[in-house]
Amino acid sequence: AKKLLAESVASQFRRQLQELTKTITITDIHYIRCVKPNSKLESNKFDNESVLSQLHSLGVLEAVRISRQAYPNRMFQAAFLQKFQALTHAHWKESIPCSRLISLGRFAESRKCCHVVLKNLPGIEDSERNFQVGNSRVYFGSGVLEVLEQTLARHLQNSVIEVQKFLKMKYYSIQLQKQKESSFILQKVIKKFVYQTLLSQKKKSIAICQNHFRKCIAKNEVHEIRREYNTLKIQKNCKTYLSQKLYQKKKISSTNLQSIIRMKLQMKEYARMLYDFKNPVIPEIPIEIIEEKQITESEFEKQEKEKQEKERIEQERLEQARLEKER
């Protein structure tokens, strides 16, 4: 916040100018012609003579005329084949569709496919003035793209009509078959109703009685099975609870007993080690050995230091053993 407040107007302008320059470098270049609709600056009002004179002065009309004389419309081959691939089915005999040729890198065949589409269009002559197929684009003369659009629209309309015809035929054939089946079923029902009315009523009543009787028996059997299952489940849960409770009691008591025994053993061991630590045993050196070897005073001090070092190491080892036992 302090940096923003301390920023000057010049630094803000410089920063905004740099951001605008970055945005402009990223975007593509488009040439725009601004036309003033009227001299009174009113909305939804166009002065035809003023607009025409402005377009003439800007060179728009001349550019349109020049573009019309050459190839005013152009399109990439991939977009052309993707859009007009429906027109190639009748003339393209290869197994690979035209829309996949460019993705496979077969550019020569894609140009050939574009030639096939354009040559077989009605009302368009095969000449350089009408169309040209380049390495990556297709260039159309004046009115050629409109003919292509109309041909594609007619082709799609005919295809839709064919699909509709097939679907309608399928639909009405299914309806006819259903009507035949329904008429046969209706005839069967009527005949059965006429000739077997009494027999069907008796059978229905007997079946209803049997159904109710069997239903009652099945209900009783189901209730009995459920009652037995519930009793067994309750017994099982009770036994499980009692056994778990008894096991927990035994486990706790055995754990307490083990801890008491281990505590007493560790206390005895600790008391022994503490007594040994406080009352170390110093071995006596016989006088005869001293007289025989004639140990000097410096050598005796050295031996005493070595003994003390050994005792310290032994005490550390005992302390570590005690700690490990306690753990």
Side-chain angles (χ1 to χ4, degrees):
K2 291 181 178 179
K3 290 182 179 179
L4 292 174
L5 291 173
E7 190 177 10
S8 63
V9 177
S11 59
Q12 290 180 3
F13 178 73
R14 189 184 303 108
R15 178 175 53 80
Q16 292 175 0
L17 188 60
Q18 290 176 356
E19 292 177 356
L20 180 60
T21 307
K22 289 180 181 179
T23 306
I24 291 171
T25 53
I26 292 170
T27 56
D28 296 330
I29 298 173
H30 297 279
Y31 296 98
I32 300 171
R33 300 290 188 271
C34 297
V35 179
K36 190 175 181 181
N38 55 72
S39 59
K40 296 180 180 180
L41 301 178
E42 295 180 359
S43 60
N44 298 325
K45 186 178 180 181
F46 293 90
D47 188 356
N48 295 330
E49 294 181 357
S50 176
V51 171
L52 186 61
S53 65
Q54 290 180 52
L55 293 175
H56 185 72
S57 300
L58 292 172
V60 176
L61 297 178
E62 188 67 21
V64 171
R65 186 180 64 80
I66 294 170
S67 178
R68 288 284 183 181
Q69 288 179 357
Y71 299 102
N73 299 315
R74 62 195 64 184
M75 187 181 295
F76 284 102
Q77 289 184 10
F80 175 77
L81 295 176
Q82 184 69 27
K83 185 174 182 180
F84 298 103
Q85 63 179 345
L87 301 176
T88 62
H89 296 319
H91 309 286
W92 185 251
K93 306 300 182 181
E94 300 292 335
S95 59
I96 301 174
C98 293
S99 58
R100 293 185 58 193
L101 292 173
I102 294 177
S103 62
L104 296 174
R106 301 168 69 171
F107 301 104
E109 295 184 12
S110 67
R111 289 195 292 272
K112 182 180 177 182
C113 187
C114 294
H115 275 293
V116 169
V117 175
L118 294 168
K119 285 180 182 179
N120 291 279
L121 287 176
I124 296 178
E125 297 179 358
D126 185 9
S127 63
E128 296 182 355
R129 188 173 181 181
N130 290 329
F131 62 87
Q132 281 289 336
V133 179
N135 292 327
S136 61
R137 299 192 183 205
V138 182
Y139 300 89
F140 305 99
S142 179
V144 176
L145 187 60
E146 288 79 3
V147 175
L148 272 173
E149 295 285 351
Q150 293 174 4
T151 307
L152 180 63
R154 285 197 300 271
H155 179 76
L156 293 177
Q157 186 177 3
N158 294 332
S159 301
V160 169
I161 291 170
E162 290 294 330
V163 173
Q164 288 177 350
K165 286 167 63 177
F166 176 76
L167 292 176
K168 286 181 180 179
M169 181 188 69
K170 192 71 176 176
Y171 173 75
Y172 286 119
S173 63
I174 292 170
Q175 292 296 325
L176 181 61
Q177 187 68 24
K178 286 183 179 180
Q179 288 178 2
K180 287 182 179 180
E181 292 177 357
S182 62
S183 63
F184 290 149
I185 293 170
L186 185 61
Q187 289 176 3
K188 286 182 180 181
V189 171
I190 291 172
K191 289 179 181 179
K192 185 177 181 180
F193 179 76
V194 172
Y195 294 105
Q196 296 181 354
T197 304
L198 295 175
L199 183 61
S200 63
Q201 289 179 356
K202 289 181 181 180
K203 285 183 178 181
K204 190 182 289 185
S205 61
I206 292 169
I208 290 170
C209 293
Q210 289 178 352
N211 190 12
H212 283 293
F213 181 70
R214 290 172 182 171
K215 187 176 180 180
C216 292
I217 294 172
K219 280 186 177 180
N220 293 329
E221 290 179 355
V222 170
H223 285 309
E224 188 66 26
I225 292 169
R226 285 182 178 176
R227 192 180 298 110
E228 290 178 0
Y229 175 75
N230 291 329
T231 53
L232 290 173
K233 192 173 182 180
I234 292 169
Q235 289 177 1
K236 182 181 177 181
N237 292 332
C238 291
K239 288 179 181 178
T240 304
Y241 174 73
L242 293 173
S243 62
Q244 287 180 355
K245 192 172 181 181
L246 182 61
Y247 172 74
Q248 291 293 335
K249 286 183 179 179
K250 289 182 179 180
K251 185 177 179 181
I252 292 168
S253 60
S254 63
T255 305
N256 292 332
L257 183 61
Q258 288 177 1
S259 63
I260 291 169
I261 292 170
R262 288 174 181 172
M263 182 181 70
K264 288 183 178 181
L265 292 174
Q266 293 294 329
M267 287 176 67
K268 289 180 180 180
E269 184 69 20
Y270 179 75
R272 186 182 64 78
M273 291 171 65
L274 186 64
Y275 178 78
D276 292 341
F277 178 76
K278 289 182 178 180
N279 302 312
V281 179
I282 300 172
E284 296 179 358
I285 302 172
I287 299 172
E288 293 82 2
I289 296 172
I290 296 171
E291 290 177 354
E292 290 176 359
K293 293 186 178 181
Q294 294 180 359
I295 299 172
T296 60
E297 186 177 358
S298 61
E299 291 177 349
F300 182 79
E301 291 176 355
K302 186 177 181 181
Q303 288 180 359
E304 286 295 330
K305 288 181 180 179
E306 289 177 356
K307 288 180 182 179
Q308 290 178 2
E309 185 67 23
K310 288 181 181 179
E311 288 176 357
R312 186 180 63 78
I313 292 170
E314 186 67 22
Q315 288 176 3
E316 289 179 356
R317 187 180 64 78
L318 292 174
E319 187 68 21
Q320 289 179 358
R322 183 182 64 79
L323 291 174
E324 289 177 356
K325 287 182 181 180
E326 287 179 356
R327 289 176 184 173

